[in-house]
Amino acid sequence: MHLESSFVLLFVAATTVALLTRRWGIPYTVALVLAGLLLGGIHAFQPPHLTRELLFSVFLPGLLFEAAFHLEFREFWRNRVAITSLAVPGVVVSIAAITLVLAPVAALVGARDVFNWRDAMVFGAVITATDPIAVVALFKQLGVPHRLASLIEGESLLNDGTSVVFFTLVLGLVMGEPVSAARLALEFLQVVGIGALIGAGIGLVVSHVIERVDDAMIEITLTTIAAYGTFVLAEGLGYSGVIATVVAGMLCGNYAARVGMSPSTRIAVETFWEYVAFALNSIVFLLIGFEVRLGSLVSHVPGILLAYLATMVARAVVVYGVTAALRGRGDRMPPAWSAVLTWGGLRGGLSMVLVLSLPPAFPHREVIVTLTFGVVLLSILVNGLSMSPLLRRLGVGTAHETRTAYDQARARLQIANAALAELERMVITAQAPPDVIDELRARYNARQEEARSVLRQMQGDQEELRGQEMARARRHLLLLEKERLIRTQREGLIGHDAYAEVMAEIDAQLLNEDTRE
């Protein structure tokens, strides 16, 4: 099958899954992996393999840039200690903890001959890269505190870069290259630090060019150059393309977008990158499902479970250790957040690509590959599917039952309003006798009042719901203003200059709604 046909079929599958998940209420990315498993199991078609080249040249730059573009620097800076602690020393501690947990357990069950401490260390370096895409999407749906979502997303952005660097360093160490602690630290700082400088340089150049341009298409192209050009340049020079792209994305999102872009242009740029992220996420999670071979995983179930347990233990050690350290400096987090951060550290495509990049002659390569695929699959399915019940149990965000009950009451009110409006039309057109109209009007009036009573009570009990409804109503009215303005201009009732000025005002208000905390 041609590559073009494969991608068309992948988009068809992703669209079908997206439509189904709207009805089923399960995380979209989890459903994509399940769909990939199903399609791969029945050999529906042959998609491209999820290789390091494909991930690094197509998927990773776009996904990293989009996430960094929308990450508020103010929130990142506020949580800088927690984020950097999780993403730098936290990665080292995680690798060490996985090695210390997994290697002795493997020896106890008689698996030392196929899984020693070197294998455990390489596996730890592979599996430390977190991928919270499914969790962050669920956070937005359930109204989780903005700071908690920023912590997970910010950690992941830095974690991806540091994990790639540490994987390279660990691989060299276990393969016998002469290294020392000082050399490892120096090399890490060099790869990450110069990568950040490359990202900052390109990000600033692109931002200054954007300041001098007022064309949405050109500015979208410039951000694309910043995303992929930064990654390619840094990787080509031997430094961290991940860190470079993250820095460039944060500069473009927090400086260029706010200073150099008009409100209309910024909305166009953000819409473009939101679609790019949706498309890339859809394909990469489908490909994860295609790459997993359930037959090979079944024969390694005990080892996969041990590896998953070791990974979760290491994650808990890192998160609770960082939480305890932050408590000492006054930057506290609620205890429930530690549990969410621990359980929300899902593994994804980057871990799979890193393990596939192991040299073919690496000892026990197939075992490490199988364990990695198994842990990635378990974390996406188990952690991803159970995150919503965990958030409800911990009381983090708006409970799903509350949101559902509120939406049901609002739907009943809208239905009653529509029926009453139709009854008035039926009176005018004499479609039914007056006594029938009166009886039906009384029935729908009762339904209308009942729904209003439920909504008033829930809004009084749940201040967060009222805030969400206020934001929804403001956005609805602004979109109505925009639609009316476009119609007025098309009818020739206002000139181009007046249209442009008023449209900029509306877009600025819409942008303010989108960035409101």
Side-chain angles (χ1 to χ4, degrees):
M1 178 178 290
H2 295 295
L3 184 63
E4 298 87 348
S5 302
S6 297
F7 273 104
V8 170
L9 291 174
L10 286 171
F11 276 112
V12 170
T15 304
T16 303
V17 171
L19 292 172
L20 292 175
T21 53
R22 290 172 66 90
R23 304 183 65 180
W24 295 344
I26 66 174
Y28 175 56
T29 48
V30 175
L32 285 170
V33 174
L34 292 173
L37 284 170
L38 175 62
L39 294 172
I42 63 175
H43 305 289
F45 58 93
Q46 183 61 45
H49 289 290
L50 189 60
T51 61
R52 181 186 177 95
E53 291 74 20
L54 183 62
L55 187 76
F56 275 43
S57 62
V58 177
F59 295 107
L60 206 53
L63 291 173
L64 290 170
F65 185 87
E66 187 273 339
F69 187 90
H70 289 97
L71 183 64
E72 293 184 21
F73 182 78
R74 180 179 56 184
E75 280 294 323
F76 179 86
W77 188 251
R78 176 187 174 191
N79 298 294
R80 63 191 183 281
V81 176
I83 290 173
T84 53
S85 298
L86 289 168
V88 184
V91 169
V92 177
V93 172
S94 181
I95 295 173
I98 289 173
T99 305
L100 292 174
V101 171
L102 195 56
V105 170
L108 287 175
V109 298
R112 180 182 293 175
D113 57 329
V114 295
F115 205 83
N116 53 39
W117 72 268
R118 291 182 178 84
D119 302 324
M121 184 180 292
V122 171
F123 172 77
V126 164
I127 209 67
T128 51
T130 59
D131 190 346
I133 295 167
V135 176
V136 171
L138 190 63
F139 281 5
K140 293 176 181 177
Q141 176 185 341
L142 295 178
V144 166
H146 185 57
R147 185 189 173 202
L148 177 56
S150 297
L151 276 172
I152 286 193
E153 196 161 11
E155 179 216 349
S156 175
L157 287 173
L158 290 187
N159 177 289
D160 283 352
T162 55
S163 295
V164 172
V165 176
F166 279 121
F167 168 75
T168 304
L169 298 177
V170 167
L171 189 59
L173 176 66
V174 301
M175 294 186 72
E177 294 181 7
V179 293
S180 63
R183 181 183 169 187
L184 286 175
L186 180 62
E187 189 172 347
F188 173 81
L189 291 174
Q190 184 179 22
V191 171
V192 172
I194 297 181
L197 289 176
I198 292 172
I202 295 180
L204 285 173
V205 169
V206 169
S207 297
H208 286 309
V209 175
I210 286 175
E211 279 190 87
R212 291 161 173 77
V213 176
D214 188 18
D215 187 302
M217 297 301 102
I218 294 177
E219 293 175 62
I220 288 173
T221 305
L222 286 169
T223 58
T224 305
I225 293 171
Y228 286 87
T230 303
F231 193 94
V232 169
L233 178 61
E235 286 290 321
L237 295 175
Y239 304 109
S240 176
V242 174
I243 297 296
T245 302
V246 168
V247 172
M250 290 183 68
L251 276 170
C252 289
N254 289 273
Y255 176 61
R258 297 176 187 234
V259 176
M261 295 181 186
S262 67
S264 298
T265 297
R266 183 173 176 183
I267 289 174
V269 172
E270 290 187 347
T271 301
F272 168 77
W273 280 107
E274 285 172 4
Y275 172 73
V276 168
F278 170 78
L280 295 179
N281 278 324
S282 299
I283 301 301
V284 78
F285 276 92
L286 276 174
L287 292 180
I288 288 175
F290 271 98
E291 290 292 336
V292 174
R293 294 292 175 262
L294 292 177
S296 63
L297 299 185
V298 170
S299 60
H300 290 81
V301 167
I304 291 171
L305 293 176
L306 289 174
Y308 174 75
L309 178 62
T311 303
M312 294 307 302
V313 168
R315 177 70 179 173
V317 168
V318 170
V319 169
Y320 282 93
V322 170
T323 302
L326 290 177
R327 192 177 299 119
R329 62 183 300 274
D331 191 7
R332 298 188 177 185
M333 291 187 290
W337 287 20
S338 298
V340 174
L341 284 168
T342 300
W343 202 245
L346 277 69
R347 272 56 180 179
L350 183 57
S351 293
M352 296 175 68
V353 168
L354 288 178
V355 77
L356 289 173
S357 68
L358 286 173
F362 188 84
H364 309 145
R365 179 182 186 274
E366 292 306 314
V367 175
I368 300 175
V369 170
T370 301
L371 292 182
T372 301
F373 279 31
V375 171
V376 168
L377 185 62
L378 276 178
S379 76
I380 291 175
L381 298 183
V382 176
N383 298 44
L385 287 173
S386 59
M387 181 54 70
S388 180
L390 177 66
L391 292 173
R392 293 200 301 269
R393 185 172 184 83
L394 295 175
V396 179
T398 306
H400 182 65
E401 291 87 351
T402 302
R403 183 78 245 182
T404 301
Y406 187 86
D407 288 342
Q408 288 174 348
R410 184 172 56 190
R412 292 189 180 103
L413 177 60
Q414 291 174 345
I415 292 170
N417 289 340
L420 288 169
E422 178 62 18
L423 284 172
E424 295 307 315
R425 190 188 68 81
M426 291 171 67
V427 169
I428 296 173
T429 57
Q431 291 189 27
D435 59 326
V436 172
I437 295 291
D438 290 341
E439 182 179 343
L440 290 173
R441 184 186 289 117
R443 185 181 304 174
Y444 280 104
N445 276 328
R447 291 187 185 181
Q448 184 187 60
E449 184 54 37
E450 181 182 358
R452 283 176 174 167
S453 176
V454 171
L455 291 174
R456 281 195 297 268
Q457 180 180 357
M458 294 188 72
Q459 288 174 354
D461 296 339
Q462 297 281 337
E463 184 64 27
E464 188 175 0
L465 280 175
R466 187 182 184 282
Q468 291 172 0
E469 288 307 300
M470 177 64 76
R472 187 200 299 264
R474 284 195 301 258
R475 183 172 178 81
H476 173 75
L477 291 174
L478 286 170
L479 290 174
L480 186 66
E481 290 180 27
K482 191 170 184 176
E483 180 183 351
R484 181 60 192 172
L485 179 64
I486 293 172
R487 190 186 313 160
T488 302
Q489 195 266 345
R490 287 177 178 173
E491 292 172 355
L493 300 178
I494 59 173
H496 177 75
D497 291 343
Y499 167 80
E501 184 174 345
V502 177
M503 180 61 76
E505 293 174 0
I506 296 174
D507 282 340
Q509 293 178 69
L510 276 170
L511 191 59
N512 183 55
E513 290 299 323
D514 291 339
T515 56
R516 186 188 297 269
E517 293 187 7

